[in-house]
Amino acid sequence: MTRRDLIQKVLIGGTTVLVVPSVISSCSKEEDGDNGGNGNTGTNKFTINLTDQNYASLNTAGGFVVIATKKIIVANTGNNAFVALASECTHEGCTVTYNATSNNFPCPCHQSLFSSTGAVVNGPATVALKSYPVAKEGNVLTITL
Ligand code: FES
């Protein structure tokens, strides 16, 4: 092999190396790990097992829980119905609560009030809380985020 042949092979080899992408990154949607609940059924699903003591309050009409890791509030609105809304007030981000007597979600910071659909009832907030579908099957709530 001549010096020229060697240089050509190195250059060809170098070209081959350059053609191979050094970094291939995927663009898959990030999956959640620990969700602060009982389980994830997929990227957009969050499940709550009502037999879990952490969620015992949801077994009573008027009970609610705030799941900080998901930034949602889940309430038992009675008659085996559940509501899940974004828990951060759209005014300045305080955490809303649930008022079972009036079936609405007040914000303790500046008294905004949201309906059970998340709509603004009273300001200063002007934007509704996001609402998430909740399905109940047996003792498991599945919330589609
Ligand atoms: S942060 Fe909720 S009303 Fe201001």
Side-chain angles (χ1 to χ4, degrees):
M1 177 182 300
T2 66
R3 184 174 176 189
R4 185 176 191 164
D5 291 339
L6 178 62
I7 290 171
Q8 283 180 334
K9 286 189 181 209
V10 168
L11 287 176
I12 291 169
T15 300
T16 302
V17 170
L18 291 175
V19 169
V20 175
S22 59
V23 176
I24 298 174
S25 62
S26 66
C27 295
S28 64
K29 197 169 183 178
E30 185 174 313
E31 298 236 356
D32 293 320
D34 179 24
N35 53 35
N38 301 120
N40 247 353
T41 58
T43 302
N44 301 329
K45 307 277 187 184
F46 176 73
T47 58
I48 293 174
N49 190 325
L50 295 173
T51 63
D52 184 326
Q53 284 304 304
N54 291 324
Y55 303 102
S57 62
L58 289 175
N59 290 307
T60 306
F64 72 95
V65 294
V66 173
I67 302 167
T69 56
K70 294 294 181 186
K71 297 182 180 178
I72 59 173
I73 182 169
V74 183
N76 180 335
T77 57
N79 298 319
N80 214 24
F82 296 84
V83 167
L85 299 174
S87 60
E88 287 186 349
C89 178
T90 57
H91 178 232
E92 290 183 358
C94 290
T95 301
V96 299
T97 61
Y98 177 61
N99 182 330
T101 304
S102 52
N103 190 31
N104 55 31
F105 293 80
C107 177
C109 291
H110 312 103
Q111 287 69 55
S112 283
L113 188 63
F114 302 88
S115 74
S116 61
T117 65
V120 176
V121 175
N122 289 322
T126 59
V127 176
L129 297 174
K130 187 164 184 177
S131 177
Y132 303 100
V134 182
K136 183 174 187 285
E137 189 170 326
N139 288 322
V140 176
L141 299 180
T142 300
I143 301 165
T144 303
L145 299 174

